[in-house]
């Protein structure tokens, strides 16, 4: 994540929280929830408002949030009642331990395409036996910036599947959906497992 994108989430933490906290994550999170047993430990990387943490907690899971913005991390922890650690995918040591589930929703969109294979490889290695990974990316080509000066990197389905396979991940299911925030974005969501893991 570049500095301007990181600065946005810190400086506009309350605005981002207000815009996202009340969006129902059920369509996004149900595939992951249905693939895990009650009591599963889930790492939510880039947990934002804490909306998904709360949803998962209310369904009997034990989620832990990871959020680069200290301001957003504080809001997420208060909202969800779950532990939230300040940190990010690219540097965290949380992936040095096994997780039953890992949620990476709307995070890889901020990372250059060339770095994603390495991150997926590390995420695959952090899945416990039978663990599941959920990843969402924006559909499109190339890269760009939005009105808030955030950088975005877009994906085509075939390209993402190829990168995931190269990282030792199998696609269990995939969804394509319009943004719940009412803009023109299309999101691709993938439920993945480490190849060779239990089905």
């Amino acid at each position: 994540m570049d500095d301007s994108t990181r600065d946005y989430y810190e400086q506009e933490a309350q605005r981002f929280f207000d815009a996202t906290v009340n969006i129902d994550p059920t369509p996004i999170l149900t595939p992951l929830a249905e693939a895990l047993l009650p009591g599963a430990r889930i790492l939510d990387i880039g947990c934002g408002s804490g909306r998904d943490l709360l949803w998962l907690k209310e369904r009997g899971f034990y989620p832990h949030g990871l959020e680069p913005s200290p301001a957003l991390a504080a809001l997420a922890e208060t909202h969800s009642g779950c532990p939230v650690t300040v940190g990010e995918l690219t540097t965290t040591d949380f992936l040095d331990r096994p997780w039953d589930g890992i949620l990476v929703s709307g995070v890889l969109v901020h990372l250059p395409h060339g770095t994603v294979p390495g991150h997926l490889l590390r995420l695959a290695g952090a899945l416990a036996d039978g663990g599941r990974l959920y990843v969402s990316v924006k559909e499109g080509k190339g890269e760009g910036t939005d009105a808030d000066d955030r950088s975005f990197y877009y994906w085509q389905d075939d390209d993402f599947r190829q990168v995931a396979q190269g990282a030792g991940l199998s696609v269990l299911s995939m969804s394509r959906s319009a943004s719940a925030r009412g803009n023109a974005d299309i999101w691709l969501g993938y439920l993945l497992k480490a190849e060779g893991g239990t089905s």
Side-chain angles (χ1 to χ4, degrees):
M1 186 188 301
D2 61 30
D3 289 342
S4 62
T5 304
R6 188 179 289 104
D7 289 347
Y8 165 81
Y9 288 108
E10 179 66 10
Q11 295 165 8
E12 302 294 338
Q14 188 65 57
R15 182 161 72 95
F16 182 80
F17 177 91
D18 293 341
T20 59
V21 72
N22 292 316
I23 295 171
D24 181 10
T26 300
I28 300 168
L29 298 180
T30 294
L32 177 64
E34 290 181 342
L36 299 174
L37 296 174
R41 296 172 59 255
I42 301 174
L43 179 63
D44 183 358
I45 298 177
C47 66
S49 66
R51 172 199 68 206
D52 296 352
L53 293 172
L54 180 59
W55 190 97
L56 292 164
K57 183 178 77 169
E58 289 175 340
R59 284 152 182 82
F61 300 111
Y62 292 93
H64 190 119
L66 189 72
E67 171 54 48
S69 161
L72 257 182
L75 290 168
E77 190 165 83
T78 298
H79 175 71
S80 68
C82 297
V84 177
T85 300
V86 177
E88 57 188 281
L89 170 63
T90 55
T91 56
T92 185
D93 62 2
F94 272 59
L95 296 179
D96 296 336
R97 66 192 80 170
W99 295 89
D100 302 310
I102 302 176
L103 175 62
V104 189
S105 182
V107 173
L108 298 184
V109 293
H110 296 310
L111 301 178
H113 296 109
T115 68
V116 170
H119 294 315
L120 288 178
L121 189 65
R122 193 166 177 227
L123 288 162
L127 290 173
D129 188 39
R132 297 293 183 262
L133 168 65
Y134 180 87
V135 174
S136 66
V137 294
K138 283 187 181 184
E139 185 179 62
K141 295 182 179 180
E143 60 188 84
T145 57
D146 68 0
D148 294 309
D149 205 26
R150 292 181 296 172
S151 295
F152 287 95
Y153 298 84
Y154 302 97
W155 287 88
Q156 294 291 299
D157 177 44
D158 288 346
D159 294 333
F160 186 83
R161 287 175 183 266
Q162 184 176 356
V163 170
Q165 184 177 16
L169 291 162
S170 297
V171 176
L172 298 175
S173 66
M174 178 267 191
S175 64
R176 183 177 183 272
S177 57
S179 172
R181 297 184 67 178
N183 56 36
D185 293 335
I186 300 295
W187 288 89
L188 306 176
Y190 299 87
L191 183 67
L192 306 149
K193 72 165 189 172
E195 293 177 358
T198 56
S199 59

